[in-house]
Amino acid sequence: MDTLGVGLIGCGNISSIYLNNVPTFQGLELRGVSDIAPEAAKAQGAKYNVPVFTVDELLARDDIDIVINLTIPDVHLAVSMDILRVGKHVYSEKPLGIDFAEAKKMVAEADKRGLCIGCAPDTFLGAGGRLSRKLIDDGLVGDILSGTVFIMSHGHEHWHPNPGFFYKHGGGPVFDMCPYYIHALVNLLGPVKCVRSIATTGFAERTVSADGPLKGKKVAVETPTTMHALLEFISGANIMLGASWDVWAHGHLPIELYGTKGSIRVPDPNFFGGAVETLIGREDWVKHQTASMPMGALNWPLDKPDRANYRSLGIAEIAAKVRSGSPQRVSGNLALHTLEVMIAIVDGNADGTPVEIATQIPQPAVLAEDDAQALFAV
Ligand SMILES: NC(=O)c1ccc[n+]([C@@H]2O[C@H](COP(=O)([O-])OP(=O)(O)OC[C@H]3O[C@@H](n4cnc5c(N)ncnc54)[C@H](O)[C@@H]3O)[C@@H](O)[C@H]2O)c1
């Protein structure tokens, strides 16, 4: 099969970048959109010239081989399971799910059926992630001993018109943002061995200030919003992670890693590009640009690009796997490992002892530059 027919469920905020990007990748053809809210599907279908279906109609179509699940985290697992049950591959937005046992069953179900599951984020395969991986694998900064990760802001209610789900179980800064950072770290360092963490909640409610019908409404906060964690990796590296939506401003970088020969600053893993910085011994920082590499150029928003946003790369990787058996890096197993780590960060152990991580996966395969370029349709 040279081309996978692509369907999409969930025509909300993030769907535009997928609908824009899918046709730019090799072996993918958009064949339908749907949403539980028919007007949302109609609007995106009209804008991107894609047929509109109900969810059931879309799942019943023979010309759709893979379905992108862009629903809200609470229903990711149920929707992904429905997609697998009708014999189609799944690519889900993050997180894979909220319940670890159910997510594990789903990954097993896909394996049993010989279907692929991919789960965002795929940003770590962008130019910034690939160059960081190469510099570390080449030994430029030596063995990574430790590092820091900071994901801090004052939440999403100032820009997202319907931010309620961010403050429910399965939301919060860890489930929402840590998949980017954990995928990036596992790509660079291999899997996590155990987690220690303290979780707190800064504010009992939030007021929506984004424009829209919910502006001025209160949202109850039902999940911790500040976590201080220590991630111990199998490699021996110890990474401090601070994730919070209770912080108005800070001066920390997204990811800094400290090696035996020097330090490396990994670009923000929320995006696909950005400059990598390295420093050896007592020398100065050196900037390594990525804009000329595949998936490094600024491309989004379309009218005034200020970031590299190649979401859908993980779907192109599934198409390549189905076509030629190439490795899948943005995999269900990676997302399951990340989910287990996130649950450990948010819930911890009641007695404060480290939470051992059971899902041990190999470090994702390197994505060579030629292979990255070959994923594009042009
Ligand atoms: N908004 C972003 O910038 C962003 C960025 C990265 C990832 N994500 C992730 O993408 C997902 C969607 O986020 P969003 O911001 O687009 O949310 P959204 O609320 O704007 O859109 C979600 C859409 O899914 C639909 N939906 C909900 N349940 C459904 C069901 N059972 N069947 C069919 N449709 C259903 C809703 O009607 C809605 O149109 C989330 O998992 C989020 O974490 C969002």
Side-chain angles (χ1 to χ4, degrees), residues 92-272:
S92 172
E93 247 307 334
K94 48 76 187 169
L96 184 61
I98 297 169
D99 184 292
F100 180 73
E102 291 300 315
K104 200 172 164 188
K105 269 191 221 159
M106 188 183 62
V107 172
E109 181 72 20
D111 276 352
K112 198 174 87 187
R113 290 173 177 267
L115 295 167
C116 298
I117 297 186
C119 182
D122 46 8
T123 44
F124 72 92
L125 292 183
R130 294 199 313 281
L131 185 59
S132 302
R133 172 80 183 261
K134 178 165 171 42
L135 294 172
I136 290 174
D137 285 0
D138 287 352
L140 186 71
V141 295
D143 295 333
I144 303 297
L145 300 172
S146 62
T148 57
V149 169
F150 289 102
I151 316 131
M152 302 197 298
S153 72
H154 218 277
H156 291 332
E157 63 276 17
H158 65 288
W159 69 271
H160 199 290
N162 189 12
F165 73 85
F166 288 118
Y167 294 101
K168 291 197 184 324
H169 176 61
V174 170
F175 282 97
D176 183 47
M177 291 306 292
C178 281
Y180 296 100
Y181 294 77
I182 299 172
H183 277 203
L185 290 173
V186 174
N187 180 47
L188 298 174
L189 305 173
V192 178
K193 179 173 177 279
C194 66
V195 174
R196 297 161 177 84
S197 179
I198 296 174
T200 53
T201 304
F203 302 85
E205 60 181 22
R206 302 281 176 144
T207 306
V208 181
S209 57
D211 285 336
L214 299 181
K215 189 170 181 170
K217 294 263 186 274
K218 304 269 189 218
V219 170
V221 177
E222 296 167 12
T223 187
T225 43
T226 294
M227 264 66 48
H228 293 100
L230 182 63
L231 274 52
E232 187 181 333
F233 285 73
I234 295 279
S235 69
N238 289 310
I239 308 294
M240 284 165 49
L241 179 147
S244 180
W245 283 345
D246 299 329
V247 172
W248 286 112
H250 67 90
H252 299 288
L253 292 171
I255 302 181
E256 276 196 356
L257 301 176
Y258 311 119
T260 49
K261 292 187 194 163
S263 300
I264 180 166
R265 291 173 173 161
V266 176
D268 188 338
N270 199 3
F271 308 114
F272 289 72

